[in-house]
Structure formats: structure tokens, C-alpha cells
DNA sequence: GTGGTCTAGACCACC
DNA sequence: GTGGTCTAGACCACC
């Protein structure tokens, strides 16, 4: 795992787990790696991992059982809430970036429509 | 200036200048800082800045006149081409992120429309 | 400040601030000491203080403004909620202790009544 | 056994034995561990244990027979006296804590009554 | 100066 | 073995 130095590593770790849960690669009851294990895997200090795990517990994503490990608890409702939240963030970021390039709302929508159609065409071409 | 360690700094420097040109903060004929000056300002190795400036010259964004400095040359056509290029990149990135969250094309478009409308409403409210 | 080693220091710090807010010694808008300052005062590592302050922010007790300091935000509703919560904890603890000594509910109530009356008498005597 | 560093360990040891006697887990004539044994078990300096045992003898809780060990002597009267004494301490502590939160005597009594009733209800529910 | 993040590493509690 | 707490100290961002 390679992290940006532009935003906190513990948040990037949380984001990784969020995505895994949203994509249902991690389901309720699944055990995630122990803090030490994960820290070694991604080459990060165990304290940083612990902070991420602790915040994930506060966010209701996982549950930590002392001496046993950390387990996913986010059910379907929570999963959708998390997906919605991440999508909103991505969307906002996208809109701001486009506006900073001078794009108007209409132009943005038109361009997205076009891109999605283009990609379909590309897929058709490939097939 | 704060750079990511996740992609080459010289590319990030180029991106900054691209954005300034696209936003017309930098116009044809404008002088940009000397390599040494810029390197000090953003705390980066002068070699990194040199590489960025060289590539910008290759891209037709700037022109370097020995003993005089580096000047913007990108005209309106070039400006629009660069805007288009950056927008495409942002768009692609956006689509990939949304898809990785499980969003279909239609849902993506609907959500963008909704976001743009919401923001308008907010502005209306404020007025 | 002297801390027990029987439960986490950061929680004891939180408890101190909780009590100050409940007793209205700290009111909304009041600035609490900087993390470094407080750490020196109570002879604890700044990281431990930071964890306490962070959790207090999560609990809605304070608000932290980067570069400016940490400020009480808990209003009257929050204050009462906190008082109620602490009282419940103290009460539970008390009941458990008394039961472990073999006291029945009635005996407990009788004894508390008697103690409160005794103290009044004592005060009367002193006067 | 885990001790607080906030008050003398020898007193905490005495308290443990007091509770055992009050709960009649230890009865007159019962042998308690040798000082050395107990010191090892709770990981405390033998001198600390010795001081605790000596004070317990002064308090009339136990009797030490040279070469044979230490035995509980507290009879039923002594047991009740000890219970009363501990209860008083707990009670005082409780009242002080509640007052420091701003609770009046009446409110304290009402709250205790309520808590005891609530717990009964819970038990009824469970049955 | 004030808070925020991270590393390194010790020691403890619970299983 | 797994998580929890704490110290020590570096470096950064924002004011």
C-alpha cells in the first residue's frame, strides 16, 4: 500500500476499508487483519493503524473485541449510507475541479453524458 | 506548495502552471519565475523544476529565452486544448471512482444533475 | 493532578473537564488550556492530553480551532445530559458496592436517608 | 490483583480481606495465605504484605500464630461492625460525589429509589 | 504558539 | 496473540 503524504494516513486506511465494505468485499462478521498484521503489511506504525481502527469503531463500521480482533459490523443500511457519503464527497470534489477549469453546469453534464456514451461505444467496438 | 509523494513532483508543477494558464491567470507573454526562484519558493530541488520547465517547453506551454527567462506562449487554442485535456482526465477519474462504488451510468448522471440543482437552490436561498 | 493507574489517564482527564462543565466552572465559549500547557501542568505526555481533547470533541463537549485553541461548546442541554450520565454511573457503582456488602434495597435507602439526616443534624450542631 | 497508585497498597490489601470476611467467604478459624505466598500471588513487596497483616491483627480481624500461619478471628459482631464501617465510607463517598454534581438530598434519594425500582423491573422483565 | 500526524517502542490486560 | 495505553519526540500546518 502506498499512501499520499497529502492527507492523513489513518484516514486513507479508513477509506480503504470503507471501499471494501461498500463493494461488499468485506461483509458483517468478517474479521479484518489484526492491527499489528495490517501495520506490517502496509508498512505503517501500529499506532497509526490503531487510530484508524478506533475511528472506524466510532463510525460504526467495525467492532473490536479485546484479545480476539476486529470485525465488520456495518450492515446493509450502514453500507448504503457509507456509499452515499463517499459518492457525495467524490461528486463535490469533481464539481469544484471542473468549475476551477471554467466549466459551467450544463457543459459539465453534457461532457459527462458524452463520456459515458463514448465508453459504451468503445466497449461495443472492442466486442 | 505541498506535493503528493504519490506521483512525480515535476508533473505536479506542470499541472499547477497548466491550471494557471487555463484560468487565464497566466497569459501569453507573461514571465514565469526563474527556475532558481521557483525552486526556492516551493522548496524543491532545482533539477526537478528544470525538468518541469523543459517538459512545459516541449508541450508548447512556455518558451525559454536564454538570459531573459521563461515566458508563456500558449494562445487561446492551446489554452482550450489544455482545458479539454485536464477535464477529460478529471472526468475519467471521476467515472472510475463512482463505478468502483457500484454506481451505474444513469445513477451517476442523475446524481450530478441533482447536486448541481441543489447547489443552485442553496445559492437562491442565500439570496 | 494525581491520576490513578487503575483506569486510563485520558479518561480521567475527560472526567475532570466534565465535572468542571457540570459545575458550570467552565461555560460555553470558555477557552481551556492548550494541549501542551495542560500536559505540563498535570505532568502527562502531550499525546495523552491530545487523545482526551479529541475524544471530548467527539463527545460534543469542546471544539478545537487549529492554531487558536480548544473551547467549551456544551450548552445547558448538553450540560444536563452529562450530569445525568455521570450521576447514573456513580449511582450504579454505589448500588453494586453496597450489594456486594450484602445490603438489600430497603436497607440501602434507609441508610442513605439516615446519613443525609445525620449530616443535617451535624450542621445544626455546628451552628 | 491490580492496585491503585492513588492510595496505600497495604490498605487496599486490608480492604480485600475485609470484603471477604464481610461476604463470609472467610470465616473465623479460616487460614489465610502466608505473607510470602500472598506477596507472590499479588506481586507485591513482602514488607507491604507484612504491614497489612500486622494492621489486620491490630484491627482484630486476624490472629497470627508463630510457625503456624494467620487465621481469621473476626466473629459475627466484628463482621457486622466492619460491614457497617465500609458501608459508611461508601455512603459518604457517594454523597460527596453526588453533591459535587449539584444534587440535593431529595433528588439523591429520589434517584436512588428510581434506580432500585428500575432494576427490579428489569429483573421482572427477564423472568 | 496551537493543534495534527506519525514513528518507535514499552508495558499491560484479556484470551 | 490481540488490542489498549502511554511516553518521547519529530515534523508539519495554520495563525
Amino acid at each position: 500500500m502506498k499512501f499520499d503524504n497529502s492527507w492523513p494516513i489513518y484516514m486513507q486506511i479508513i477509506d480503504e476499508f470503507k471501499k471494501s465494505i461498500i463493494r461488499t468485499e468485506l461483509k458483517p462478521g468478517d474479521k479484518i487483519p489484526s492491527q499489528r498484521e495490517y501495520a506490517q503489511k502496509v508498512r505503517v506504525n501500529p499506532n497509526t493503524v490503531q487510530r484508524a481502527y478506533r475511528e472506524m469503531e466510532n463510525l460504526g463500521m467495525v467492532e473490536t473485541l479485546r484479545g480476539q480482533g476486529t470485525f465488520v459490523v456495518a450492515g446493509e443500511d450502514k453500507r448504503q449510507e457509507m456509499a452515499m457519503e463517499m459518492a457525495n464527497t467524490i461528486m463535490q470534489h469533481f464539481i469544484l475541479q471542473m468549475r476551477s477549469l471554467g466549466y459551467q453546469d450544463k457543459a459539465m453534464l453534457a461532457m459527462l453524458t458524452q463520456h459515458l456514451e463514448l465508453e459504451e461505444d468503445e466497449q461495443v467496438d472492442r466486442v
Side-chain angles (χ1 to χ4, degrees), chain A:
Chain A
M1 184 68 60
K2 196 73 191 74
F3 295 107
D4 277 8
N5 63 6
S6 57
W7 59 303
I9 294 176
Y10 78 92
M11 286 187 181
Q12 299 182 49
I13 293 175
I14 294 174
D15 250 44
E16 284 309 309
F17 280 104
K18 257 191 199 157
K19 282 185 205 155
S20 295
I21 291 174
I22 289 172
R23 295 189 205 111
T24 66
E25 292 156 16
L26 283 176
K27 295 185 202 58
D30 285 356
K31 189 177 186 302
I32 66 174
S34 80
Q35 298 180 4
R36 281 159 171 70
E37 209 180 331
Y38 191 75
Q40 284 181 345
K41 188 182 144 204
V42 301
R43 305 277 196 77
V44 150
N45 189 290
N47 281 328
T48 302
V49 176
Q50 203 196 27
R51 171 149 190 205
Y53 277 36
R54 191 163 56 222
E55 307 254 340
M56 290 200 286
E57 183 148 24
N58 289 339
L59 291 170
M61 293 167 59
V62 300
E63 187 178 39
T64 284
L65 301 180
R66 196 189 192 111
Q68 296 188 53
T70 303
F71 303 84
V72 177
V73 291
E76 182 52 23
D77 283 2
K78 184 76 188 166
R79 208 200 113 260
Q80 288 194 13
E81 182 197 315
M82 283 160 56
M84 197 68 106
E85 198 186 275
M86 282 201 96
N88 277 334
T89 305
I90 292 167
M91 191 67 80
Q92 287 304 336
H93 186 223
F94 166 73
I95 292 172
L96 287 178
Q97 276 184 308
M98 292 300 282
R99 283 190 179 150
S100 84
L101 292 187
Y103 277 80
Q104 304 293 329
D105 293 1
K106 277 193 183 171
M108 238 182 271
L109 271 169
M111 197 173 171
L112 177 59
T113 313
Q114 187 193 3
H115 262 261
L116 293 172
E117 280 167 358
L118 271 175
E119 295 201 1
E120 268 178 45
D121 292 350
E122 283 171 25
Q123 288 183 337
V124 172
D125 286 352
R126 268 183 247 131
V127 175

